[in-house]
Amino acid sequence: MSEPEQVVEHTEALSPEAPEVPGDDRDDRGGLARGRRVVLAVVGGAALMAVGGLLATTLVKSPAQVAAEAGPPAQGALTAEVERRVLAQTVVMRGTVAADQSVAVSPQGIRSGEGAGAAVVTKLPLKAGEPVTAGQLIAEVSGRPVFTLHGAQPMYRDLRPGATGDDVTQLQRALQELGHGTGADAKGLFGAGTKAALAARYRAIGYQPLPAVADGGAALKAAREAVRSATWAVEDASGPVGASAEPGSGKGGATATPSPKAGTGPGSGRELARAREALGEARAALAAAEAADGPMLPAAETVFLGSFPARVSSVGARAGSPVSGPVLTLSAGELVVEAYLKDDKRQLLRAGMAVVISSEVSGTDARGKVALVAAERTAAQPAGGPPQQGQDSKGGGGGGGGGADLGYRMVVRADQPLPAGFAGQDVRLTIESAATDGEALVVPVTAVSAGADGRTVVTAVSAEGTQRRIEVRTGTSGDGFVAVTPARAGALAAGTRVVIGVAPRQTPGKSE
């Protein structure tokens, strides 16, 4: 036997066919099951990935695709309902509650006598918030008093005996209110009765008034001497009947010598006439001196206020400090609201308009009216230039002064006195600048349009969606609404819907 055949036989001998073992078919079936599960898992994962990809392509879009699909939506009419009500045009702004009159007391011109230097505050008897009555001492500057009197006109000059005018009338009335009668003085004339009343007022507050003529009475004494001398001259010129005055006769003690022609001597009548004329002039000069003599009222020593009791708003100095500005500020009268208007609001507002005053601090409202709208712009007081003594520090609307432009001053007065707690508050003002006369048909201003023919119309929309144009006449407008009256009676009624614009109309299948 050859060598290859031996190898084959040997191999076959070494590898006889193995007998079948029961149970081997179970192992084959388990392997097949595991293979099927793996295949199913792979197929399921592939299916899920396919579904995910499909969803991603549906929901995720590129910016270019989004822009391509975003077309203009279909437009529809935007409507509003016609109302029947009172329409008011309102202006809302801010204002500050303050006293009707505020006066800065700055007694710069106090005269304290010989050798006096700069004015110095020597006494301040009042504190901020304290009440002030008419005739009361409110300060002392360089030893001179500053007191209050009742009157609306501020002091602008010193009042001296013999003065006349409305300010003198105000002084007389103020003194009479304090119980100081002015005697027989004519109204508006600073005469003897007014002098006596003024002196009494100064004594009541513990001071002496300044003399109107600061010469120690020399002018009055000289006038009286002149009258006495003129009286003697007339007596000398007259002489006894039948006698003439010779040189050296009269008050010198010489005896008058009778003349052969008594009373008919040369110049005797002329001398008597001249003496009598001189006496008249001396008496007139004495009357003028007596009228000018007496107490005066310096403008720096009194402050006129429109009403009492007043209040001390603030104290700007202390005893011993020089007077370089307002010593104190007084507030008088009822509380009012001040605001300043720009040009646009100035054209809308006028005196008499209704106002609602709202305090956010107390949560209360008060009703009032516009009392004043200044015709001229108001400038803020420049630094270093305080208001003059007795003048209203608020100003009436003057445009000069060089300060910042505040606008047009407006004053609102409440129908009932404002509570004291409102003082100094920043409040909201709602001003009714126009209103319809009773209820009217009201539509949004955007509902009204003007056609090419010049007619003003609104477009009404029926329940079915049909539109029709209705000619109207417009009236008061405010807060985005306007009152309308149909040109044809009954053509427009409350509840009718009118077009006020266009709005996107929802497209089926797409959300807005």
Side-chain angles (χ1 to χ4, degrees):
M1 179 180 298
S2 64
E3 186 177 352
E5 290 178 353
Q6 290 177 357
V7 172
V8 171
E9 286 179 357
H10 177 72
T11 302
E12 290 177 356
L14 292 176
S15 302
E17 184 175 350
E20 292 184 3
V21 179
D24 286 349
D25 59 343
R26 291 197 303 271
D27 293 338
D28 295 339
R29 287 195 300 270
L32 291 173
R34 284 195 297 272
R36 284 195 298 268
R37 285 196 295 269
V38 172
V39 171
L40 289 175
V42 171
V43 172
L48 288 175
M49 292 178 63
V51 172
L54 180 61
L55 292 176
T57 57
T58 303
L59 300 178
V60 178
K61 301 179 181 181
S62 67
Q65 185 178 359
V66 172
E69 293 179 355
Q75 301 294 309
L78 185 64
T79 63
E81 195 173 87
V82 178
E83 303 177 66
R84 180 176 289 277
R85 60 182 173 88
V86 175
L87 177 63
Q89 181 182 7
T90 58
V91 175
V92 180
M93 60 187 307
R94 309 297 298 184
T96 303
V97 181
D100 193 20
Q101 184 184 18
S102 181
V103 177
V105 180
S106 182
Q108 300 279 3
I110 287 286
R111 296 184 301 172
S112 57
E114 295 182 2
V120 176
V121 178
T122 50
K123 185 184 294 185
L124 277 175
L126 300 176
K127 298 179 181 179
E130 292 187 345
V132 178
T133 59
Q136 182 177 353
L137 177 74
I138 59 174
E140 181 187 272
V141 177
S142 298
R144 296 301 304 166
V146 180
F147 59 97
T148 58
L149 289 175
H150 182 206
Q153 183 176 352
M155 284 283 288
Y156 64 93
R157 62 168 178 165
D158 296 341
L159 293 181
R160 304 171 182 272
T164 59
D166 292 339
D167 50 351
V168 177
T169 301
Q170 177 176 262
L171 172 62
Q172 292 173 325
R173 187 182 301 114
L175 292 172
Q176 290 166 2
E177 291 174 357
L178 294 172
H180 308 303
T182 55
D185 284 358
K187 180 179 178 180
L189 172 63
F190 198 139
T194 305
K195 288 191 287 186
L198 181 61
R201 181 68 251 159
Y202 270 93
R203 288 194 298 271
I205 59 176
Y207 294 85
Q208 290 295 323
L210 290 176
V213 181
D215 62 354
L220 183 61
K221 181 179 180 181
R224 287 171 177 167
E225 289 290 343
V227 169
R228 183 165 58 248
S229 297
T231 301
W232 291 344
V234 169
E235 291 175 357
D236 291 344
S238 298
V241 177
S244 62
E246 298 290 340
S249 66
K251 297 299 178 182
T255 304
T257 303
S259 171
K261 298 181 179 179
T264 60
S268 60
R270 184 168 56 253
E271 291 177 359
L272 179 59
R274 290 176 177 173
R276 288 174 175 170
E277 182 179 353
L279 176 60
E281 292 174 352
R283 287 173 174 171
L286 175 61
E290 289 176 338
D293 188 62
M296 64 172 288
L297 180 62
E301 292 189 7
T302 190
V303 178
F304 279 94
L305 296 176
S307 62
F308 288 94
R311 299 172 297 280
V312 179
S313 299
S314 62
V315 177
R318 64 178 185 273
S321 62
V323 178
S324 58
V327 172
L328 48 81
T329 302
L330 304 179
S331 298
E334 63 181 315
L335 294 177
V336 297
V337 184
E338 276 191 327
Y340 291 90
L341 310 176
K342 300 305 179 184
D343 291 322
D344 55 343
K345 291 183 178 179
R346 168 68 180 82
Q347 296 172 1
L348 296 175
L349 305 179
R350 63 181 183 277
M353 289 181 172
V355 184
V356 176
I357 306 166
S358 302
S359 168
E360 289 91 346
V361 175
S362 62
T364 57
D365 293 342
R367 293 193 169 273
K369 289 182 173 59
V370 177
L372 167 71
V373 177
E376 298 180 2
R377 307 181 73 89
T378 299
Q381 183 68 34
Q388 295 299 314
Q389 168 85 348
Q391 290 184 346
D392 190 344
S393 63
K394 298 178 184 304
D405 181 17
L406 298 177
Y408 298 92
R409 179 172 177 251
M410 180 182 72
V411 176
V412 174
R413 197 178 302 277
D415 295 338
Q416 300 295 329
L418 291 174
F422 273 51
Q425 286 190 26
D426 180 70
V427 295
R428 185 178 72 250
L429 301 176
T430 305
I431 307 167
E432 187 177 289
S433 60
T436 56
D437 187 12
E439 292 186 343
L441 295 177
V442 176
V443 299
V445 292
T446 54
V448 180
S449 60
D453 55 1
R455 296 188 305 166
T456 303
V457 299
V458 296
T459 303
V461 181
S462 66
E464 295 76 19
T466 59
Q467 300 182 1
R468 60 190 177 93
R469 292 161 63 87
I470 301 173
E471 184 179 358
V472 295
R473 294 187 298 273
T474 58
T476 301
S477 64
D479 298 335
F481 291 85
V482 61
V484 295
T485 303
R488 181 170 58 84
L492 187 66
T496 303
R497 301 200 71 83
V498 293
V499 176
I500 61 173
V502 292
R505 184 170 55 202
Q506 186 171 349
T507 303
K510 293 185 179 182
S511 58
E512 294 184 42

